[in-house]
DNA sequence: CAGAATCCCTTAGGATACTG
DNA sequence: CAGTATCCTAAGGGATTCTG
């Protein structure tokens, strides 16, 4: 595990950035998306993400758990099972993510056009 | 400048992440927030941000410009002046950012409570 | 099964110095 | 004023190996 991951003395970023600092890492959104349809166990989650390493997934889940976005439920069978469930707080992010997704979809062509213009100006 | 910054062969991330990969860096949202009230020149922008280095600000502005979120207007005086203006595409992000900000403000207490619980469980 | 520990490489971004 | 050019460090995250 990364040292200092659970430091309690973290500096408070500007409030607009608080969410993003914690949620906008490489996998969080995809994890949330996967859990929105129902609880999943660790390896099921890992398979549904495709590309994530178990170290990164663990790290992502710990952060989401710490922030109250997902809940980790240990089922004491043998071998052990762990289910991850989205919390109400996590669910409250759904509309936000949908808005982001909508914006992305509708604006993508315009963004790509802008990129082409920019790159063209640079090339000459 | 960072090598590969303007690569045209960038891989396309999952669409939900496209926006975030480009906008959720350390300074973009704050830059957008500052420019929403009106155009600003480079150093004015730098002062209004407080803490950003000029290298990071330049990098942030170039990316926003490339994605069509801000426009860079050179005013050929002496010494040279440069104004940064938000584009209509950039403005279309405003409601999104407000939503993020709202979520952050209303959910912050709950997030912090979750963090305390998590850290407490860990400590023992 | 669900991780923890370790190694390693890449990148973001701060500090600093210089320029048209 | 508005950058560019370097150097440098810290953190993210992939790959791999080990364990209760």
């Amino acid at each position: 595990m990364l040292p200092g991951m659970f430091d309690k003395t973290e500096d408070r970023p500007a409030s607009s950035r608080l969410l993003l600092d914690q949620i906008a890492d490489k996998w969080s959104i995809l994890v949330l998306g996967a859990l929105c349809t129902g609880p999943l166990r660790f390896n099921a989650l890992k398979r549904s993400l495709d590309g994530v390493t178990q170290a990164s997934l663990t790290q992502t889940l710990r952060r989401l758990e710490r922030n109250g976005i997902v809940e980790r439920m240990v089922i004491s069978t043998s071998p052990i099972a762990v289910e991850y469930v989205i919390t109400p707080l996590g669910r409250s992010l759904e509309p936000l993510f949908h808005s982001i997704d909508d914006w992305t979809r509708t604006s993508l062509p315009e963004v790509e056009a802008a990129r082409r213009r920019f790159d063209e100006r640079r090339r000459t």
Side-chain angles (χ1 to χ4, degrees), chain A:
Chain A
M1 194 63 55
L2 296 174
M5 183 171 167
F6 299 117
D7 282 0
K8 295 176 204 58
T9 56
E10 63 192 11
D11 44 347
R12 301 287 171 195
S15 79
S16 320
R17 289 205 42 76
L18 170 121
L19 167 64
L20 263 43
D21 283 340
Q22 298 287 317
I23 256 60
D25 57 293
K26 192 167 182 185
W27 298 107
S28 288
I29 294 187
L30 300 177
V31 167
L32 264 294
L35 291 183
C36 269
T37 50
L40 283 174
R41 293 174 46 180
F42 187 86
N43 278 324
L45 197 48
K46 183 172 185 318
R47 275 188 298 275
S48 88
L49 259 53
D50 182 56
V52 70
T53 62
Q54 141 275 37
S56 294
L57 181 56
T58 299
Q59 183 182 342
T60 300
L61 287 168
R62 284 298 169 281
R63 177 159 38 205
L64 291 174
E65 188 195 357
R66 178 168 187 262
N67 287 296
I69 309 295
V70 306
E71 192 178 355
R72 179 175 181 273
M73 329 223 6
V74 180
I75 306 169
S76 303
T77 53
S78 176
I80 208 171
V82 177
E83 251 193 4
Y84 288 92
V85 193
I86 194 167
T87 65
L89 182 60
R91 284 228 181 267
S92 73
L93 281 166
E94 272 201 83
L96 213 53
F97 287 166
H98 277 127
S99 301
I100 294 176
D101 215 55
D102 285 351
W103 187 93
T104 300
R105 261 182 244 291
T106 68
S107 304
L108 185 54
E110 196 169 347
V111 170
E112 290 183 329
R115 287 180 183 173
R116 279 192 297 274
R117 282 196 303 276
F118 184 92
D119 295 341
E120 184 58 26
R121 262 177 286 154
R122 289 266 149 167
R123 208 184 51 73
T124 58

